[in-house]
């Protein structure tokens, strides 16, 4: 965790900002803003990235995703007063800035996330190569999300704002403005997406379940293609069919991931990479990759939080895995069904898997290192062919010897 302390301003105490840099919490920003009495007046924690489409000099359009925030500052963030509401201001990377304003509604029993602005500078040749129009561009959005006072707003689902060729993604959001008495509330107010996900019609069991209810086998899942981009282009590629095996309260269930209704995001860093999937029932399914020994990569961590058909939340995390191991600069491939055992209650079956979380060149997979199951199959095929040919030769030889012996017997009788 990297913390920044800004100098105090009149009527405002020291402000402490922390940037949490973690494998599973890719660029999670955490802010604790205090007033002149050193009491918390605003708390926020969230993750975000941005995708910008811009016109290039050759009259074509390019797209860039900003997920690596780089160096972050927080100049201009305030608790608010009678004239101005609370404000979070973030500056990062090369000329990027982001701001959110909060406003109390007239009833004084709630407040709103009033406006969000994002600014970028197309003069930056590294981020926006060959940009036709150069200069600072600011995009404003007005989500008008109302939040009751004295509760903390939570939204684990992916929130997307799209305007003027800019797509903003936010997830794992926690925020409480107008904090009373310096104490952040433990009572949560869920966003509409999280509320929708929880309103699943429960299944009423008329008979007691057996000690271990076996799930009904499902057909092979659809193959999905997923990617993550950063300022240099595509940095992570994954192609796979995913089948989730879940056991809760001695009841087992199998769920196939449907690529067409699954959103994805993530981030890439020198030593770690994250692919996150989410849908109406899956709050997040994280695949975290890491580099080991400076020359290989592997799947190190899987985190999941999702809603089951009975409305309950299923959560599992394991950061001590070792799957999908391959050299850096290559991809990992396994066409055979493979199982990633996250815990005794949660396993993931993969089909037609291919993944490359580092050193992706020109948006294409590099040479693949095959899993042992595929290698064994490739080895067995020529062995089986050789055995069959050997058997055929033996049969032909025996037939020849029998025929030759019969011929000799015929000549002697004459």
């Amino acid at each position: 965790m990297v913390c920044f302390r800004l100098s105090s301003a009149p009527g405002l105490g020291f402000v402490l900002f922390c940037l949490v840099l973690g494998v599973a919490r890719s660029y999670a920003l955490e802010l604790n803003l205090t007033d002149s009495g050193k009491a918390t007046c605003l708390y926020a924690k969230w993750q975000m990235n941005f995708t910008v489409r811009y016109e290039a000099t050759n009259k074509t359009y390019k797209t860039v995703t900003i997920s690596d925030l780089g160096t972050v500052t927080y100049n201009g963030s305030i608790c608010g007063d009678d004239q101005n509401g609370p404000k979070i201001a973030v500056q990062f990377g090369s000329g990027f800035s982001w701001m959110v304003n909060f406003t109390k509604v007239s009833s004084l029993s709630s407040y709103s996330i009033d406006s969000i602005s994002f600014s970028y500078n197309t003069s930056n040749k590294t981020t926006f190569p060959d940009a036709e129009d150069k200069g600072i561009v600011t995009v404003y959005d007005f989500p008008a999300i109302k939040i009751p006072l004295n509760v903390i707003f939570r939204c684990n689902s992916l929130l997307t704002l799209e305007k003027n060729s800019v797509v903003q993604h936010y997830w794992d959001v926690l925020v409480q403005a107008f904090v009373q008495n310096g104490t952040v509330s433990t009572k949560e107010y869920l966003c509409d997406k999280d509320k929708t996900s929880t309103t699943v019609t429960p299944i009423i069991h008329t008979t007691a379940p057996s000690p271990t209810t076996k799930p009904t086998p499902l057909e092979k899942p659809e193959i999905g293609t997923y990617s993550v981009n950063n300022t240099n282009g595509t940095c992570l590629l994954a192609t796979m069919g995913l089948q989730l095996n879940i056991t809760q309260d001695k009841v087992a269930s199998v769920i196939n991931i449907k690529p067409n209704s699954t959103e994805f995001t993530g981030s890439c860093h020198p030593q770690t990479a994250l692919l996150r999937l989410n849908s109406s029932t899956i709050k997040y399914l994280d695949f975290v990759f890491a580099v080991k020994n400076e020359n290989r990569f592997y799947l190190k961590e899987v985190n999941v939080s999702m809603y089951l058909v009975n409305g309950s939340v299923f959560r599992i995390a394991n950061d001590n895995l070792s799957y999908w191991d391959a050299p850096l600069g290559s991809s990992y491939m396994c066409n055979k069904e493979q199982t990633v055992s996250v815990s005794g209650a949660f396993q993931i079956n993969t089909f037609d898997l291919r993944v490359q979380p580092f050193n992706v060149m020109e948006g294409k997979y590099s040479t693949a290192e095959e899993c042992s199951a595929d290698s064994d199959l490739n080895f067995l095929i020529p062995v089986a062919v050789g055995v069959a040919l050997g058997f055929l030769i033996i049969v032909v030889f025996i037939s020849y010897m029998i025929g030759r012996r019969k011929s000799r017997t015929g000549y002697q009788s004459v």
Side-chain angles (χ1 to χ4, degrees), residues 86-118:
K87 177 171 64 178
I88 300 173
V90 182
Q91 303 83 38
F92 57 93
S94 302
F96 297 104
S97 62
W98 179 84
M99 187 180 302
V100 58
N101 291 280
F102 303 90
T103 303
K104 261 187 182 178
V105 298
S106 57
S107 65
L108 300 180
S109 61
S110 62
Y111 66 94
S112 67
I113 301 176
D114 187 50
S115 65
I116 295 175
S117 63
F118 171 62

Side-chain angles (χ1 to χ4, degrees), residues 257-272:
I257 298 294
K258 297 180 180 179
N260 291 337
S261 59
T262 301
E263 295 180 312
F264 54 91
T265 184
S267 60
C268 301
H269 311 293
Q271 296 294 315
T272 61

Side-chain angles (χ1 to χ4, degrees), residues 55 173 178 234 283 405 414:
E55 185 178 1
V173 176
F178 302 100
T234 302
K283 296 163 70 175
R405 187 174 180 181
V414 172

Side-chain angles (χ1 to χ4, degrees), residues 47-67:
Q47 298 195 61
M48 62 182 182
N49 65 28
F50 308 89
T51 299
V52 180
R53 185 173 182 265
Y54 66 96
E55 185 178 1
T57 52
N58 58 1
K59 302 303 179 182
T60 61
Y61 285 87
K62 294 185 176 182
T63 301
V64 60
T65 298
I66 300 97
S67 58

Side-chain angles (χ1 to χ4, degrees), residues 121-142:
N121 191 347
T122 55
S123 299
N124 186 326
K125 295 180 180 179
T126 302
T127 308
F128 301 98
D130 305 320
E132 174 70 21
D133 299 319
K134 303 185 186 301
I136 297 175
V137 180
T138 302
V139 176
Y140 296 91
D141 213 307
F142 303 92

Side-chain angles (χ1 to χ4, degrees), residues 98-325:
W98 179 84
M99 187 180 302
V100 58
N101 291 280
F102 303 90
T103 303
K104 261 187 182 178
V105 298
S106 57
S107 65
L108 300 180
S109 61
S110 62
Y111 66 94
S112 67
I113 301 176
D114 187 50
S115 65
I116 295 175
S117 63
F118 171 62
S119 299
Y120 57 96
N121 191 347
T122 55
S123 299
N124 186 326
K125 295 180 180 179
T126 302
T127 308
F128 301 98
D130 305 320
E132 174 70 21
D133 299 319
K134 303 185 186 301
I136 297 175
V137 180
T138 302
V139 176
Y140 296 91
D141 213 307
F142 303 92
I145 300 174
K146 284 190 177 182
I147 305 169
L149 287 171
N150 304 322
V151 297
I152 191 165
F153 174 78
R154 174 187 289 278
C155 195
N156 292 320
S157 300
L158 185 68
L159 296 175
T160 301
L161 302 177
E162 186 170 358
K163 197 170 188 179
N164 298 343
S165 300
V166 176
V167 180
Q168 306 176 51
H169 292 300
Y170 303 94
W171 67 97
D172 287 349
V173 176
L174 277 173
V175 64
Q176 183 179 355
F178 302 100
V179 176
Q180 302 297 310
N181 303 320
T183 303
V184 177
S185 177
T186 57
K187 184 179 179 181
E188 296 181 348
Y189 178 79
L190 299 180
C191 65
D192 290 339
K193 268 196 171 183
D194 282 8
K195 287 178 182 177
T196 303
S197 298
T198 58
T199 57
V200 179
T201 305
I203 295 176
I204 307 300
H205 295 281
T206 56
T207 59
S210 60
T212 303
T213 304
K214 292 184 178 181
T216 303
L218 289 182
E219 61 183 13
K220 182 179 175 181
E222 297 177 42
I223 307 302
T225 300
Y226 313 99
S227 62
V228 176
N229 298 326
N230 60 12
T231 54
N232 297 319
T234 302
C235 58
L236 184 153
L237 289 171
T239 304
M240 52 190 171
L242 296 173
Q243 190 175 81
L244 311 183
N245 294 269
I246 300 168
T247 303
Q248 190 174 56
D249 298 329
K250 297 182 179 181
V251 177
S253 57
V254 178
I255 300 171
N256 283 348
I257 298 294
K258 297 180 180 179
N260 291 337
S261 59
T262 301
E263 295 180 312
F264 54 91
T265 184
S267 60
C268 301
H269 311 293
Q271 296 294 315
T272 61
L274 166 69
L275 171 64
R276 164 167 288 194
L277 309 181
N278 75 286
S279 65
S280 59
T281 56
I282 299 175
K283 296 163 70 175
Y284 57 82
L285 174 58
D286 292 346
F287 297 90
V288 181
F289 302 87
V291 174
K292 68 177 180 180
N293 301 327
E294 301 301 326
N295 61 0
R296 300 187 71 86
F297 72 83
Y298 69 106
L299 178 66
K300 182 182 185 296
E301 183 173 347
V302 170
N303 307 300
V304 65
S305 179
M306 60 184 296
Y307 299 104
L308 302 181
V309 292
N310 61 2
S312 64
V313 177
F314 178 81
R315 290 189 183 95
I316 289 290
N318 189 338
D319 62 356
N320 193 31
L321 302 176
S322 185
Y323 292 95
W324 307 351
D325 187 302

